[in-house]
Amino acid sequence: MKNTRKMTNTIFAMLLGLLVIAASNQAFAQGGVWTTTGNMGNVRVTSRAILLLTGKVLAIGGDDSTGLWSDTSEEFDPATGSWSPSANSIPNAPPASALGLYEFRATLLGNGKVLLAGGGGSDSGLTTNAASLYDPLTHSWTPASSMNFGRDQFGMVTLTNGNALVFGGCAGGCSGPNILGQYISTVGSSAEIYDFQTNTWTQVASMNSIRGNSPSGVVLSDGRVLVSAGSNGFSTVFSTCEVYDPAADVWTTTGSMPGLVKNDWPMILLPDSRVLSIEPQPGSNSIGTNSTGTLSTMTFDPSTGQWVSTGTLLSRQDYGRFSGLQDGLVLLSGGSNGTSVVNTAQIYDPTQDLWSTTSSMASPRSGHTATLLSDGRVLVAGGNDGTSSLSSAEIFTPGLITPTPVTTPSPAATPTPTPSPVTTPTPTLQPLPSGLPTLLPKPSGFPTLPPGTPIPTQPPLPGGAGVIFGFINDENDNALQGVTVTLDGADSSESVTADEEGYFEFGNLSAGDYTLTCEKDGYETYTQSISLGNDEIQEIETIVLEEVVKAKISG
């Protein structure tokens, strides 16, 4: 569609606004408040959560407490604090004998849709290569083209062009075979890219190592991808890391972690281009044992290719969730202290390499999701409290950020600084500091937020935020592909082509009156008048085009 580039730019406007963490030369006293919000319709452990362009959050799948991974999803509306189920289930889910959508992956694409792929934890030829797309405008899932490899427990990230990179993973329980008869020796080092504009998968260069059991990945500030950890699927867990360059289609080994990790080890990009992670225990981890962390954290420097120890946690939070806050800090929520699930939350200041405490969550959580909302708050949902699987959710509102001078403590007896108390029940978030670094390369014509601009509640859209969309069928209720759809307004005219599902969409529309015209060789031309309100999202009733021959006979 012709408006795809506009939607891609909107995606990256949102990603920049939500992922840019501003650096400062001041220390900060930490506050913050946790408040409970509406419960999900289902318990979800190790699910996936995606912030949509609408400002809502999509929660996907997850363990339903019986060991079966759900094929359901639901949306959270921050304005109402409530959850709404999606219109349909996720298609092509593996059967219960393969644990359903066990260890699938999902990510936001450059057109605003959500890509879900893979899943299924069985070595009986059931782990799938199927993929699906979620449309936030219709709240529904549709099948997408399938991957070249059946995978579960793999890695997936969104590249700076809006496409998705998947890498590594298992071919089943881990070794395979998967639904295509492939084993981890084939799947584990493979990588492929999904192109959201053509709905196609392309196999790219393979990694230097097999990486099953959920390798971790993060997109670096220069657009390359850092991948760490994983296993060979049998007995060996890795500390090695490598970097993928999409422009050159090359994987390059880089500095290793100080310990051996797997199972989606947490990493997050910092504003100075470093990557923050928790330092794992050194030594040998068996393939059947979860990796364990320490009180130390570490950062990866892409310029040197090395991991170095940095600040020290005040308490252990293995497999806690990182969230980058708008004020330049990083929130770590939940996880395990090695013996039990915790409700602890800590905040990291990358300018000082220091951790400080903040208020604790209402519930202990591990295996939860933590999603930065458009307004700077963080939504935490689901997980397990050590006894039960959870459907509950809560929101972290950062406290008033008070700059304090940085002083060098005397070696003698300078007391540890005490965090400033939170004096405002609902503190006001500060605007972003000036001089924000650009974390992602910007497409041509990409809008730049002026220094000091606060993050908007809704991502800014050029011209307007209105959307008109719909489907086109023939007289037999079959989707009609290749129809030229033109939308004429008072000051604009735009054309798109209906896809294989007969779907069309126009975005970034201002309020006003429009004329919609549908044309295809062999069919009667269809015309409809539409009035669009301010920021309205309007679905057109399914359009049926009549064949020219039949029209003449009936006349």
Side-chain angles (χ1 to χ4, degrees):
M1 296 184 181
K2 292 186 179 180
N3 63 350
T4 296
R5 186 178 63 83
K6 296 180 184 177
M7 296 187 71
T8 303
N9 288 352
T10 302
I11 287 283
F12 282 105
M14 184 182 76
L15 289 176
L16 281 172
L18 298 178
L19 295 179
V20 165
I21 303 173
S24 164
N25 61 356
Q26 296 175 311
F28 291 89
Q30 304 309 325
V33 177
W34 290 94
T35 54
T36 56
T37 189
N39 287 357
M40 294 185 289
N42 299 278
V43 297
R44 298 183 188 276
V45 183
T46 322
S47 60
R48 299 283 157 169
I50 307 289
L51 178 65
L52 304 172
L53 282 183
T54 58
K56 297 180 181 180
V57 175
L58 179 67
I60 313 168
D63 190 332
D64 66 1
S65 80
T66 68
L68 179 66
W69 286 50
S70 170
D71 61 356
T72 67
S73 60
E74 52 191 305
E75 287 188 27
F76 175 76
D77 186 344
T80 63
S82 60
W83 296 85
S84 301
S86 301
N88 61 337
S89 298
I90 301 164
N92 300 319
S97 59
L99 306 180
L101 279 170
Y102 174 80
E103 291 289 358
F104 69 93
R105 293 295 181 262
T107 194
L108 185 69
L109 297 171
N111 59 359
K113 295 182 180 181
V114 175
L115 172 69
L116 178 149
S122 166
D123 287 335
S124 302
L126 297 173
T127 294
T128 187
N129 64 330
S132 306
L133 293 171
Y134 184 80
D135 190 335
L137 299 179
T138 61
H139 313 288
S140 60
W141 292 94
T142 56
S145 62
S146 296
M147 295 185 291
N148 295 292
F149 302 87
R151 309 172 188 268
D152 68 305
Q153 306 173 66
F154 58 100
M156 175 186 280
V157 296
T158 301
L159 301 174
T160 56
N161 61 3
N163 293 334
L165 169 71
V166 302
F167 49 89
C170 293
C174 200
S175 62
N178 60 22
I179 197 169
L180 300 177
Q182 301 160 333
Y183 291 82
I184 190 172
S185 56
T186 299
V187 175
S189 61
S190 69
E192 51 189 313
I193 290 177
Y194 177 79
D195 188 324
F196 73 89
Q197 298 186 70
T198 61
N199 185 32
T200 56
W201 291 90
T202 302
Q203 186 175 351
V204 295
S206 295
M207 294 184 290
N208 294 292
S209 298
I210 292 175
R211 296 186 185 275
N213 292 117
S214 303
S216 300
V218 64
V219 179
L220 301 174
S221 58
D222 59 7
R224 296 180 301 155
V225 181
L226 171 67
V227 171
S228 68
S231 79
N232 67 354
F234 297 99
S235 60
T236 304
V237 180
F238 301 130
S239 63
T240 60
C241 302
E242 46 192 302
V243 173
Y244 178 65
D245 184 344
D249 188 25
V250 172
W251 291 90
T252 306
T253 55
T254 188
S256 297
M257 288 183 166
L260 309 173
V261 294
K262 57 188 179 73
N263 295 338
D264 210 9
W265 196 251
M267 300 193 300
I268 190 170
L269 184 67
L270 298 175
D272 56 10
S273 298
R274 293 181 299 161
V275 176
L276 175 68
S277 185
I278 295 173
E279 193 168 313
Q281 295 278 6
S284 176
N285 291 332
S286 69
I287 193 71
T289 302
N290 284 342
S291 309
T292 54
T294 65
L295 286 176
S296 297
T297 52
M298 59 184 179
T299 56
F300 175 81
D301 186 344
S303 66
T304 64
Q306 299 298 319
W307 291 92
V308 295
S309 295
T310 180
T312 301
L313 291 165
L314 303 176
S315 60
R316 272 178 59 183
Q317 289 184 242
D318 297 2
Y319 295 99
R321 301 300 189 202
F322 283 137
S323 304
L325 303 178
Q326 290 180 353
D327 52 29
L329 310 179
V330 177
L331 173 69
L332 175 62
S333 59
S336 169
N337 62 9
T339 57
S340 60
V341 177
V342 298
N343 64 347
T344 308
Q346 301 182 58
I347 291 180
Y348 176 71
D349 181 349
T351 68
Q352 302 296 316
D353 285 334
L354 293 175
W355 288 91
S356 61
T357 57
T358 187
S359 55
S360 296
M361 296 185 291
S363 299
R365 296 179 191 270
S366 184
H368 57 286
T369 61
T371 309
L372 182 64
L373 301 175
S374 300
D375 59 10
R377 298 179 298 160
V378 177
L379 171 69
V380 166
N384 188 292
D385 64 6
T387 302
S388 304
S389 299
L390 303 175
S391 63
S392 63
E394 48 191 303
I395 291 178
F396 178 75
T397 302
L400 186 64
I401 305 303
T402 306
T404 57
V406 177
T407 57
T408 303
S410 166
T414 300
T416 302
T418 302
S420 299
V422 179
T423 57
T424 307
T426 306
T428 302
L429 296 176
Q430 284 191 330
L432 290 174
S434 60
L436 294 180
T438 299
L439 293 185
L440 299 174
K442 297 182 287 188
S444 176
F446 186 83
T448 301
L449 294 176
T453 302
I455 294 297
T457 301
Q458 294 286 351
L461 293 174
V467 175
I468 293 174
F469 70 98
F471 294 86
I472 304 173
N473 288 348
D474 62 19
E475 294 170 283
N476 297 316
D477 289 331
N478 297 316
L480 203 54
Q481 183 178 4
V483 179
T484 300
V485 187
T486 303
L487 187 69
D488 292 310
D491 303 311
S492 64
S493 179
E494 185 175 2
S495 295
V496 299
T497 302
D499 64 16
E500 67 275 5
E501 298 170 4
Y503 178 77
F504 66 90
E505 176 186 298
F506 297 92
N508 305 341
L509 300 175
S510 300
D513 295 327
Y514 293 88
T515 300
L516 183 77
T517 305
C518 302
E519 298 174 294
K520 181 177 175 66
D521 288 343
Y523 292 84
E524 289 290 313
T525 299
Y526 175 91
T527 302
Q528 178 178 344
S529 297
I530 302 171
S531 292
L532 187 69
N534 188 41
D535 294 347
E536 180 184 0
I537 298 176
Q538 185 175 146
E539 179 178 7
I540 305 302
E541 185 175 349
T542 300
I543 296 169
V544 177
L545 293 192
E546 191 174 292
E547 289 188 63
V548 172
V549 174
K550 290 184 178 179
K552 290 180 179 179
I553 293 175
S554 63

